[in-house]
Amino acid sequence: MKKCLLFISFFGLILTSIPSYSQTNNLLAVQRDDLYEVNCKTGEYKLIPTNTKWLGTEAMTYVNGSVYIIGSSNLYKVNPASGSYAICGASGAWGSTSAMTTDGTNIFAVQKDDLYQVNPDNGVYQLIPTKTKWLGTEAMTYVNGSIYIIGSANLYKVNPVSGSYAICGAGGVWGSTSAMASDGLNIYAVQKDDLYEVNPKNGVYRLIPTNTKWLGTEAMTFADGTIYIFGSSNLYKVDPNSGSYAYLGKSGVWSSTAAASTSYAIPQYRRGPTLFDACFVDWWTHSAPKLHIFKGTKYSVFNKNAGTFENDL
């Protein structure tokens, strides 16, 4: 019943309001050695009772109802509701992992100097043949069919199937990047002490005018049209358009946050009331209904499982 409600809600929102899809999400964060779930609206948090400690956490993500944490050389699969967990795949295989992300189906991780695709069901991994090394990786995310990696002062766009890659935008401008996230359309990154929005198509970036500095950023994620930043012992809620920000929840409780993620399954398409001109769902012709979208003279189909468009809009 829950899945049915989510499915109907997804298409209902698109068809009636057109501008965006959103669902109520929670944040997930490893702080010091504990795993927490945080309410996006209030900042209230609760300990997820995993009966273990998460010291040594290097990266985390969320796929299809489970939290995935890399730490102590292992990939762990955690049930955020019950706190039960298990090693996913081979034990001891994930030491020195610098970053991890997901497309909603697969996990992608940079470990030591290689890039891998991981099956979240069984932990089986395969090397993505990029013909380069990824030493110096600082952050990564996934947008519309591509992996984006910041390292060696560059933003790289990587095809996860072929392994082909290229510098996205200007070279040499992304040194000292502390965190990166995406809303499914744009990339957001904290570099040195500033927060930027980046166009993943061409790497063009703009400063988000927050009137503060983000030194001390430890982790960031995105949910419901908002950037969430953990840093300086606080959790901040940032509007990516105006740059306005505020503390979320109690002040001073988030020191030593190792990683953060958002409990959502489908990337969110935000960008206001002119994102799409029209759309419809072909309920009557497909056993798996598709969302058809029109913007000006352009047309595309949204794949809700992959979270991507078949054609660029």
Side-chain angles (χ1 to χ4, degrees), residues 8 47 54-55 60 82 86 105 151 153 165 167 184-185 257 276 288 293 307:
I8 292 170
L47 178 69
W54 298 102
L55 285 170
M60 69 185 293
S82 67
T105 301
Y165 70 96
I167 292 176
L185 282 176
T257 298
F276 305 132
I293 297 169

Side-chain angles (χ1 to χ4, degrees), residues 50-259:
T50 57
N51 295 321
T52 190
K53 295 299 181 182
W54 298 102
L55 285 170
T57 292
E58 295 175 320
M60 69 185 293
T61 193
Y62 179 96
V63 184
N64 197 26
S66 296
V67 186
Y68 290 83
I69 297 174
I70 289 182
S72 303
S73 299
N74 294 313
L75 171 63
Y76 296 93
K77 182 177 182 178
V78 184
N79 182 322
S82 67
S84 62
Y85 70 96
I87 292 175
C88 184
S91 177
W94 291 102
S96 302
T97 296
S98 51
M100 177 166 60
T101 191
T102 182
D103 62 359
T105 301
N106 301 295
I107 293 169
F108 303 100
V110 172
Q111 191 247 5
K112 293 182 179 175
D113 54 4
D114 288 316
L115 175 61
Y116 294 92
Q117 177 178 306
V118 188
N119 184 324
D121 293 327
N122 53 26
V124 172
Y125 56 89
Q126 62 183 38
L127 179 70
I128 296 177
T130 57
K131 296 182 180 179
T132 191
K133 295 300 181 181
W134 297 101
L135 285 170
T137 291
E138 295 177 319
M140 68 188 296
T141 192
Y142 181 96
V143 184
N144 200 25
S146 296
I147 303 167
Y148 291 83
I149 297 174
I150 289 181
S152 303
N154 295 312
L155 171 62
Y156 296 93
K157 182 177 182 178
V158 185
N159 183 316
V161 178
S162 68
S164 61
Y165 70 96
I167 292 176
C168 184
V173 299
W174 290 105
S176 303
T177 296
S178 52
M180 180 164 59
S182 171
D183 63 356
L185 282 176
N186 299 300
I187 294 168
Y188 301 98
V190 172
Q191 191 248 5
K192 294 182 179 175
D193 54 5
D194 289 317
L195 175 62
Y196 295 93
E197 179 183 79
V198 188
N199 185 325
K201 294 180 181 179
N202 53 26
V204 172
Y205 56 90
R206 73 171 181 93
L207 178 69
I208 297 177
T210 57
N211 295 320
T212 191
K213 294 300 182 182
W214 298 101
L215 285 170
T217 292
E218 295 177 321
M220 68 185 293
T221 189
F222 186 97
D224 295 333
T226 301
I227 303 167
Y228 294 87
I229 297 176
F230 292 85
S232 302
S233 299
N234 296 310
L235 169 58
Y236 298 92
K237 183 176 181 178
V238 185
D239 184 315
N241 295 313
S242 68
S244 63
Y245 72 96
Y247 294 114
L248 183 63
K250 294 180 180 179
S251 176
V253 299
W254 291 105
S255 63
S256 304
T257 298

Side-chain angles (χ1 to χ4, degrees), residues 10-11 14-15 279-282 289-293 300-302:
F10 170 66
F11 288 114
I14 290 291
L15 290 172
C279 55
F280 69 90
V281 180
D282 56 354
K290 293 183 178 180
L291 177 64
H292 299 258
I293 297 169
S300 189
V301 175
F302 181 75

